[in-house]
């Protein structure tokens, strides 16, 4: 529709008079034209990123995916950590970057680009896959979750938390929209179900679940020392 020129390698192109949501439409069309990987959109701040994401969602087709790498939304010397939902979204995007392709769109902003990111080897090396009928040692699994930044709680409510009650393990993986409940029979995973963190009732069964690390850095002794 807009037929905007896409810049070649080591060159710049300026788009003018893109009023209203025309910028979002231009980005979507550019991502369809560009065949050498995803289109990376750098915006000024969180507000602009949220607005542009909603507009791009309206124009994109079902084959295109939007990835958002948000800022921590904390100041350099704040004494509290970023919200766990923000960490989960960042980890989901960093994991997806391994396979992101042409037609996809990555949205980030200036503050995020000023932060150091974990190496790809850390993200990929700490992904844990669980499936039905898999053998699982509870104590070693607990240690691995804690080393990946998960917090042991009495009741799972937020991303990055897990609880072990006998043969039942509740966990809320980073990158997942719902928490999961693992039922063990002896040392074997008998079932995996989604559950509602408010009512704690489980419902839909799944055959497998993939766990991303809960932090952007290792929290074992070696990681803390480094």
């Amino acid at each position: 529709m807009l037929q905007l020129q896409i810049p070649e390698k080591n060159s710049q192109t300026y788009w003018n008079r893109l009023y209203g949501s025309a910028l979002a439409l231009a980005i979507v069309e550019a991502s369809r034209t560009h065949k050498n990987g995803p289109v990376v959109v750098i915006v000024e701040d969180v507000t602009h990123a949220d607005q542009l994401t909603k507009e791009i969602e309206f124009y994109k087709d079902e084959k295109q995916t939007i990835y958002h790498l948000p800022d921590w939304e904390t100041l350099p010397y704040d004494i509290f950590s970023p919200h766990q939902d923000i960490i989960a979204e960042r980890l989901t995007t960093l994991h997806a970057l391994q396979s992101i392709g042409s037609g996809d769109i990555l949205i980030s902003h200036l503050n995020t680009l000023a932060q150091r990111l974990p190496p790809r080897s850390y993200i990929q090396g700490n992904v844990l896959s669980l499936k039905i009928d898999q053998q699982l040692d509870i104590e070693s699994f607990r240690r691995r979750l804690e080393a990946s930044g998960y917090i042991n709680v009495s009741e799972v409510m937020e991303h990055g938390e897990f609880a072990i009650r006998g043969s039942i393990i509740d966990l809320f993986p980073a990158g997942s929209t719902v928490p999961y409940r693992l039922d063990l029979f002896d040392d074997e995973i008998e079932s995996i179900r989604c559950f509602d963190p408010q009512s704690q009732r489980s419902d839909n069964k799944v055959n497998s679940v993939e766990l991303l690390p809960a932090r952007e850095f290792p929290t074992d002794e070696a990681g803390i020392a480094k």
Side-chain angles (χ1 to χ4, degrees):
M1 183 184 297
L2 297 179
Q3 297 181 347
L4 295 168
Q5 181 181 356
I6 307 298
E8 300 294 333
K9 187 176 181 179
N10 299 324
S11 67
Q12 294 180 339
T13 298
Y14 294 92
W15 296 343
N16 300 312
R17 293 180 294 179
L18 294 175
Y19 305 118
S21 64
L23 176 59
L25 177 60
I27 292 169
V28 170
E29 294 200 355
S31 68
R32 291 172 181 157
T33 305
H34 185 59
K35 301 300 181 183
N36 297 320
V39 167
V40 179
V41 181
I42 302 171
V43 298
E44 297 172 344
D45 50 37
V46 175
T47 302
H48 192 189
D50 291 341
Q51 177 184 348
L52 197 58
T53 299
K54 293 175 183 177
E55 293 172 350
I56 291 174
E57 284 280 2
F58 177 81
Y59 288 114
K60 78 177 187 66
D61 58 40
E62 64 279 359
K63 296 180 181 179
Q64 295 175 292
T65 304
I66 302 175
Y67 297 94
H68 185 208
L69 187 62
D71 180 42
W72 280 341
E73 297 185 18
T74 57
L75 296 175
Y77 298 101
D78 281 342
I79 60 173
F80 52 86
S81 299
H83 194 280
Q84 192 57 43
D85 289 347
I86 293 177
I87 298 297
E89 185 176 5
R90 285 170 60 90
L91 287 164
T92 301
T93 298
L94 292 173
H95 178 57
L97 287 180
Q98 312 299 318
S99 57
I100 189 172
S102 299
D104 294 331
I105 300 168
L106 172 64
I107 298 178
S108 189
H109 40 82
L110 296 174
N111 288 341
T112 305
L113 298 182
Q115 300 169 353
R116 291 188 174 185
L117 296 175
R120 288 181 293 178
S121 58
Y122 169 73
I123 302 294
Q124 297 303 102
N126 286 277
V127 175
L128 178 61
S129 296
L130 301 173
K131 59 183 178 180
I132 293 176
D133 298 331
Q134 178 179 331
Q135 298 290 318
L136 188 69
D137 180 76
I138 291 181
E139 278 308 310
S140 61
F141 183 59
R142 182 206 303 269
R143 290 193 297 269
R144 183 162 183 179
L145 287 176
E146 290 174 344
S148 295
Y150 284 80
I151 301 173
N152 195 348
V153 296
S154 58
E155 194 172 271
V156 171
M157 299 293 292
E158 296 183 347
H159 288 101
E161 295 180 342
F162 77 96
I164 299 177
R165 299 186 302 276
S167 62
I168 297 176
I169 302 175
D170 290 347
L171 50 89
F172 204 150
S176 174
T177 57
V178 294
Y180 294 94
R181 177 163 293 155
L182 281 60
D183 288 301
L184 302 184
F185 181 74
D186 197 11
D187 61 349
E188 188 175 280
I189 300 176
E190 187 175 37
S191 68
I192 304 175
R193 296 175 180 268
C194 307
F195 74 91
D196 183 351
Q198 300 298 327
S199 66
Q200 295 292 307
R201 293 181 178 178
S202 57
D203 44 28
N204 299 333
K205 282 187 176 182
V206 297
N207 293 322
S208 62
V209 60
E210 190 173 68
L211 307 182
L212 297 178
R215 296 286 184 271
E216 294 182 45
F217 46 83
T219 54
D220 55 10
E221 290 186 9
I224 292 172
K226 184 175 181 179

